[in-house]
Amino acid sequence: MKPADAITCEALTRRFGDTVAVDGLDLSVRPGEMLALLGPNGAGKSTTVHMLTTMLPPTSGRGRVMGLDVTRHAREVRSLIGVVFQEPALDDRLTAWENLEFHAVLYGIAGRHRREAIQRALEWAELQGRAHHLVRTFSGGMKRRLELARALMHGPAVLFLDEPTLGLDPQGRRKLWEQIAALRSRGVTTLLTTHNMLEAEQCDRVAIIDRGQLLVVDTPSALKERSLGGPTLEDVFLQLTGRQLRDPDASPREWLLSFGRRGGEHTR
Protein backbone atom coordinates (compact mmCIF):
# COMPACT_ATOMS: atom_id res chain seq x y z
CA MET A 1 0.00 0.00 0.00
CA LYS A 2 1.48 3.33 -1.07
CA PRO A 3 1.45 6.27 1.35
CA ALA A 4 -1.02 9.07 0.61
CA ASP A 5 1.77 11.64 0.94
CA ALA A 6 5.46 11.37 0.16
CA ILE A 7 6.43 13.59 3.11
CA THR A 8 4.41 14.15 6.27
CA CYS A 9 5.14 16.31 9.32
CA GLU A 10 2.82 15.89 12.30
CA ALA A 11 3.41 18.40 15.12
CA LEU A 12 7.11 18.11 14.26
CA THR A 13 9.16 19.96 16.86
CA ARG A 14 12.83 20.57 17.55
CA ARG A 15 14.22 22.42 20.54
CA PHE A 16 17.79 23.45 21.25
CA GLY A 17 17.76 24.15 24.97
CA ASP A 18 15.25 26.93 25.48
CA THR A 19 15.15 27.77 21.78
CA VAL A 20 12.33 26.27 19.71
CA ALA A 21 13.63 25.99 16.15
CA VAL A 22 10.63 24.09 14.74
CA ASP A 23 7.36 24.44 16.61
CA GLY A 24 4.64 21.84 16.00
CA LEU A 25 4.98 21.82 12.21
CA ASP A 26 2.13 20.16 10.28
CA LEU A 27 2.93 19.83 6.59
CA SER A 28 2.59 17.29 3.80
CA VAL A 29 4.07 16.94 0.31
CA ARG A 30 2.24 14.91 -2.30
CA PRO A 31 3.95 12.26 -4.44
CA GLY A 32 5.61 13.86 -7.45
CA GLU A 33 5.08 17.37 -6.09
CA MET A 34 7.69 20.11 -5.90
CA LEU A 35 7.15 22.19 -2.77
CA ALA A 36 9.15 25.30 -1.84
CA LEU A 37 9.74 26.03 1.83
CA LEU A 38 10.20 29.76 2.38
CA GLY A 39 11.09 31.62 5.54
CA PRO A 40 13.44 34.27 6.93
CA ASN A 41 16.85 33.26 8.21
CA GLY A 42 16.37 31.24 11.39
CA ALA A 43 12.77 30.34 10.55
CA GLY A 44 13.46 26.59 10.88
CA LYS A 45 13.77 25.55 7.24
CA SER A 46 17.12 23.78 7.46
CA THR A 47 16.25 22.22 10.82
CA THR A 48 13.11 20.76 9.25
CA VAL A 49 15.17 19.31 6.39
CA HIS A 50 17.70 17.88 8.84
CA MET A 51 14.94 16.08 10.76
CA LEU A 52 13.26 14.70 7.64
CA THR A 53 16.59 13.43 6.30
CA THR A 54 17.37 11.65 9.62
CA MET A 55 20.31 13.94 10.39
CA LEU A 56 18.64 15.34 13.50
CA PRO A 57 16.10 13.60 15.76
CA PRO A 58 12.85 15.47 16.49
CA THR A 59 12.26 16.58 20.06
CA SER A 60 8.62 15.61 19.64
CA GLY A 61 6.08 15.02 16.92
CA ARG A 62 6.58 12.81 13.92
CA GLY A 63 8.08 12.98 10.45
CA ARG A 64 7.44 10.42 7.72
CA VAL A 65 8.98 9.88 4.29
CA MET A 66 7.10 7.51 1.98
CA GLY A 67 5.15 6.34 5.02
CA LEU A 68 8.26 5.50 7.06
CA ASP A 69 8.97 7.17 10.40
CA VAL A 70 12.23 9.13 10.16
CA THR A 71 13.27 8.10 13.67
CA ARG A 72 12.23 4.45 13.86
CA HIS A 73 13.06 3.61 10.24
CA ALA A 74 16.02 5.91 9.62
CA ARG A 75 18.03 3.41 7.54
CA GLU A 76 15.10 2.69 5.23
CA VAL A 77 14.35 6.40 4.85
CA ARG A 78 17.95 7.13 3.85
CA SER A 79 17.73 4.56 1.07
CA LEU A 80 14.72 6.40 -0.40
CA ILE A 81 16.01 9.97 -0.37
CA GLY A 82 18.56 12.16 -2.08
CA VAL A 83 19.91 15.28 -0.36
CA VAL A 84 21.75 18.42 -1.39
CA PHE A 85 22.56 20.35 1.77
CA GLN A 86 23.06 24.10 2.04
CA GLU A 87 26.74 23.62 2.84
CA PRO A 88 28.86 21.78 0.22
CA ALA A 89 29.27 18.09 1.05
CA LEU A 90 31.79 16.99 -1.57
CA ASP A 91 35.34 15.89 -0.76
CA ASP A 92 37.39 18.35 -2.79
CA ARG A 93 40.52 16.22 -2.37
CA LEU A 94 38.90 13.58 -4.59
CA THR A 95 37.98 13.67 -8.25
CA ALA A 96 34.39 13.89 -9.48
CA TRP A 97 34.51 10.18 -10.34
CA GLU A 98 35.82 9.25 -6.90
CA ASN A 99 33.12 11.28 -5.14
CA LEU A 100 30.43 9.52 -7.14
CA GLU A 101 32.02 6.10 -6.65
CA PHE A 102 32.12 6.59 -2.88
CA HIS A 103 28.41 7.48 -2.89
CA ALA A 104 27.61 4.45 -5.08
CA VAL A 105 29.35 2.12 -2.64
CA LEU A 106 27.49 3.62 0.32
CA TYR A 107 24.15 3.04 -1.41
CA GLY A 108 24.99 -0.50 -2.42
CA ILE A 109 25.08 0.00 -6.17
CA ALA A 110 26.57 -3.29 -7.37
CA GLY A 111 30.01 -3.27 -8.95
CA ARG A 112 28.75 -4.36 -12.37
CA HIS A 113 26.31 -1.40 -12.47
CA ARG A 114 28.47 1.14 -10.63
CA ARG A 115 30.51 2.30 -13.62
CA GLU A 116 27.39 2.87 -15.70
CA ALA A 117 25.71 4.76 -12.87
CA ILE A 118 28.73 7.04 -12.47
CA GLN A 119 28.94 7.70 -16.20
CA ARG A 120 25.21 8.54 -16.33
CA ALA A 121 25.59 10.91 -13.38
CA LEU A 122 28.52 12.70 -15.01
CA GLU A 123 26.62 13.03 -18.29
CA TRP A 124 23.57 14.36 -16.47
CA ALA A 125 25.74 16.96 -14.73
CA GLU A 126 27.55 17.71 -18.03
CA LEU A 127 30.89 16.95 -16.40
CA GLN A 128 32.08 14.05 -18.54
CA GLY A 129 35.24 15.92 -19.48
CA ARG A 130 36.09 16.66 -15.83
CA ALA A 131 35.51 13.17 -14.44
CA HIS A 132 39.09 12.73 -13.24
CA HIS A 133 39.75 16.31 -12.14
CA LEU A 134 39.94 17.20 -8.46
CA VAL A 135 36.71 18.78 -7.22
CA ARG A 136 38.72 21.63 -5.64
CA THR A 137 39.33 22.89 -9.20
CA PHE A 138 35.59 23.13 -9.95
CA SER A 139 33.49 26.28 -10.00
CA GLY A 140 30.56 26.63 -7.61
CA GLY A 141 28.10 25.72 -10.35
CA MET A 142 30.04 22.60 -11.31
CA LYS A 143 30.14 21.47 -7.67
CA ARG A 144 26.40 21.99 -7.27
CA ARG A 145 25.65 20.03 -10.45
CA LEU A 146 27.88 17.22 -9.21
CA GLU A 147 26.14 17.22 -5.81
CA LEU A 148 22.72 17.01 -7.45
CA ALA A 149 23.86 14.22 -9.80
CA ARG A 150 25.28 12.33 -6.81
CA ALA A 151 22.01 12.72 -4.90
CA LEU A 152 20.12 11.14 -7.82
CA MET A 153 22.48 8.22 -8.51
CA HIS A 154 20.55 5.64 -6.51
CA GLY A 155 17.15 6.63 -7.91
CA PRO A 156 15.58 8.29 -4.84
CA ALA A 157 11.84 8.71 -4.56
CA VAL A 158 12.21 11.95 -2.61
CA LEU A 159 14.74 14.75 -3.06
CA PHE A 160 15.61 17.38 -0.42
CA LEU A 161 17.32 20.54 -1.64
CA ASP A 162 18.44 23.08 0.98
CA GLU A 163 19.09 26.34 -0.89
CA PRO A 164 20.85 24.49 -3.74
CA THR A 165 21.53 27.60 -5.85
CA LEU A 166 23.05 29.64 -3.00
CA GLY A 167 26.15 31.50 -4.16
CA LEU A 168 25.82 30.63 -7.85
CA ASP A 169 26.11 33.17 -10.64
CA PRO A 170 23.05 33.68 -12.90
CA GLN A 171 24.29 31.20 -15.51
CA GLY A 172 25.02 28.51 -12.93
CA ARG A 173 21.73 29.13 -11.15
CA ARG A 174 19.72 28.86 -14.35
CA LYS A 175 21.43 25.66 -15.46
CA LEU A 176 20.99 23.99 -12.08
CA TRP A 177 17.36 25.07 -11.86
CA GLU A 178 16.65 23.64 -15.33
CA GLN A 179 17.98 20.30 -14.11
CA ILE A 180 15.93 20.48 -10.90
CA ALA A 181 12.74 21.38 -12.76
CA ALA A 182 13.29 18.48 -15.19
CA LEU A 183 13.01 16.03 -12.29
CA ARG A 184 9.22 16.51 -12.33
CA SER A 185 8.99 14.41 -15.47
CA ARG A 186 10.67 11.58 -13.54
CA GLY A 187 8.05 11.72 -10.79
CA VAL A 188 10.56 12.69 -8.09
CA THR A 189 9.02 14.39 -5.05
CA THR A 190 11.05 17.48 -4.17
CA LEU A 191 11.16 19.63 -1.04
CA LEU A 192 13.15 22.77 -1.78
CA THR A 193 14.21 25.54 0.60
CA THR A 194 15.08 28.82 -1.05
CA HIS A 195 15.18 32.60 -0.64
CA ASN A 196 14.77 33.06 -4.38
CA MET A 197 11.15 33.99 -5.12
CA LEU A 198 11.51 33.25 -8.83
CA GLU A 199 12.51 29.68 -7.97
CA ALA A 200 9.60 29.35 -5.57
CA GLU A 201 7.24 30.55 -8.31
CA GLN A 202 8.17 27.48 -10.37
CA CYS A 203 7.08 25.05 -7.64
CA ASP A 204 3.66 23.41 -7.36
CA ARG A 205 3.06 24.85 -3.89
CA VAL A 206 4.80 27.20 -1.49
CA ALA A 207 4.88 26.84 2.31
CA ILE A 208 5.92 29.89 4.33
CA ILE A 209 7.23 29.37 7.87
CA ASP A 210 8.41 31.82 10.51
CA ARG A 211 9.70 31.22 14.03
CA GLY A 212 9.37 27.50 13.39
CA GLN A 213 5.65 27.63 12.63
CA LEU A 214 3.80 27.09 9.39
CA LEU A 215 2.04 30.28 8.36
CA VAL A 216 0.44 29.28 5.08
CA VAL A 217 0.76 26.81 2.22
CA ASP A 218 -0.82 27.10 -1.21
CA THR A 219 -0.01 27.45 -4.89
CA PRO A 220 1.99 30.55 -5.82
CA SER A 221 -0.89 31.97 -7.83
CA ALA A 222 -3.40 31.41 -5.02
CA LEU A 223 -1.13 33.05 -2.48
CA LYS A 224 -0.74 36.11 -4.69
CA GLU A 225 -4.48 36.33 -5.24
CA ARG A 226 -5.10 36.31 -1.48
CA SER A 227 -2.50 38.94 -0.68
CA LEU A 228 -3.36 42.56 0.06
CA GLY A 229 0.31 43.52 0.27
CA GLY A 230 1.10 43.45 -3.45
CA PRO A 231 1.01 41.35 -6.63
CA THR A 232 4.19 39.28 -6.19
CA LEU A 233 5.16 36.30 -4.08
CA GLU A 234 7.77 38.47 -2.39
CA ASP A 235 4.96 40.83 -1.35
CA VAL A 236 3.12 37.88 0.19
CA PHE A 237 6.27 36.77 1.98
CA LEU A 238 6.92 40.22 3.45
CA GLN A 239 3.28 40.63 4.37
CA LEU A 240 3.46 37.45 6.42
CA THR A 241 6.94 37.63 7.91
CA GLY A 242 8.06 41.27 7.77
CA ARG A 243 7.45 42.96 11.13
CA GLN A 244 7.03 46.36 9.57
CA LEU A 245 4.01 45.08 7.65
CA ARG A 246 2.14 43.58 10.61
CA ASP A 247 -0.66 45.36 12.34
CA PRO A 248 0.68 46.32 15.81
CA ASP A 249 -2.84 46.15 17.22
CA ALA A 250 -3.37 42.52 16.23
CA SER A 251 -1.47 39.38 17.12
CA PRO A 252 0.20 37.45 14.25
CA ARG A 253 -2.35 34.66 14.70
CA GLU A 254 -5.25 37.08 14.37
CA TRP A 255 -3.72 38.53 11.22
CA LEU A 256 -3.20 35.06 9.76
CA LEU A 257 -6.78 34.06 10.47
CA SER A 258 -7.87 37.17 8.60
CA PHE A 259 -5.57 36.25 5.71
CA GLY A 260 -7.00 32.74 5.67
CA ARG A 261 -10.59 33.91 5.44
CA ARG A 262 -9.82 35.12 1.93
CA GLY A 263 -9.57 31.48 0.88
CA GLY A 264 -6.88 28.85 0.31
CA GLU A 265 -5.82 25.41 1.40
CA HIS A 266 -4.28 25.98 4.79
CA THR A 267 -3.69 28.60 7.43
CA ARG A 268 -2.30 28.31 10.90
Side-chain angles (χ1 to χ4, degrees):
M1 179 177 174
K2 293 184 179 180
D5 292 304
I7 303 172
T8 306
C9 301
E10 298 175 351
L12 193 64
T13 300
R14 177 66 199 194
R15 296 184 179 88
F16 296 96
D18 294 331
T19 301
V20 182
V22 178
D23 187 7
L25 181 65
D26 291 315
L27 181 66
S28 63
V29 185
R30 302 157 186 158
E33 182 178 34
M34 181 177 287
L35 184 138
L37 192 61
L38 300 183
N41 289 330
K45 304 183 301 297
S46 292
T47 301
T48 298
V49 170
H50 289 163
M51 287 190 286
L52 291 172
T53 57
T54 77
M55 299 293 291
L56 189 66
T59 303
S60 62
R62 178 173 293 178
R64 291 193 183 94
V65 175
M66 301 302 289
L68 297 171
D69 187 282
V70 297
T71 300
R72 291 185 294 144
H73 305 288
R75 181 184 291 272
E76 293 90 337
V77 168
R78 290 178 198 135
S79 71
L80 295 172
I81 65 174
V83 187
V84 175
F85 291 112
Q86 187 176 139
E87 297 297 326
L90 296 168
D91 190 332
D92 66 3
R93 297 165 299 178
L94 301 178
T95 66
W97 184 283
E98 289 167 339
N99 269 277
L100 293 174
E101 186 169 34
F102 183 69
H103 182 86
V105 171
L106 285 178
Y107 275 87
I109 299 176
R112 63 180 183 279
H113 300 302
R114 193 177 303 154
R115 186 177 183 85
E116 292 179 2
I118 294 171
Q119 289 175 332
R120 285 196 302 270
L122 288 167
E123 290 171 6
W124 191 85
E126 299 184 12
L127 291 171
Q128 307 97 303
R130 303 296 294 270
H132 301 292
H133 291 223
L134 293 177
V135 169
R136 67 176 57 177
T137 67
F138 287 9
S139 68
M142 293 165 66
K143 290 178 181 178
R144 276 314 207 189
R145 297 202 311 271
L146 181 61
E147 284 191 293
L148 186 55
R150 183 185 63 175
L152 295 169
M153 276 186 71
H154 58 286
V158 180
L159 186 63
F160 292 91
L161 305 173
D162 194 4
E163 297 192 42
T165 62
L166 184 67
L168 298 186
D169 60 25
Q171 293 87 347
R173 185 183 303 115
R174 172 167 290 190
K175 181 61 181 178
L176 186 66
W177 183 253
E178 287 173 355
Q179 291 174 308
I180 292 170
L183 296 173
R184 282 177 172 168
S185 63
R186 295 169 55 174
V188 178
T189 302
T190 305
L191 176 62
L192 168 81
T193 78
T194 183
H195 285 295
N196 188 310
M197 299 298 162
L198 292 177
E199 293 176 355
E201 289 261 16
Q202 305 306 309
C203 294
D204 298 303
R205 288 190 300 155
V206 173
I208 300 176
I209 66 173
D210 194 11
R211 301 181 183 91
Q213 295 186 331
L214 179 65
L215 302 182
V216 67
V217 57
D218 213 329
T219 64
S221 59
L223 287 175
K224 289 186 289 185
E225 288 174 3
R226 294 161 58 190
S227 172
L228 297 178
T232 70
L233 190 58
E234 182 172 305
D235 293 323
V236 176
F237 179 82
L238 292 174
Q239 187 181 11
L240 285 167
T241 65
R243 293 184 181 180
Q244 71 277 17
L245 299 179
R246 290 178 181 168
D247 183 352
D249 297 321
S251 70
R253 180 169 178 80
E254 290 170 343
W255 192 94
L256 287 166
L257 288 172
S258 173
F259 186 85
R261 282 194 287 269
R262 291 193 288 276
E265 298 181 30
H266 179 98
T267 56
R268 184 181 177 86

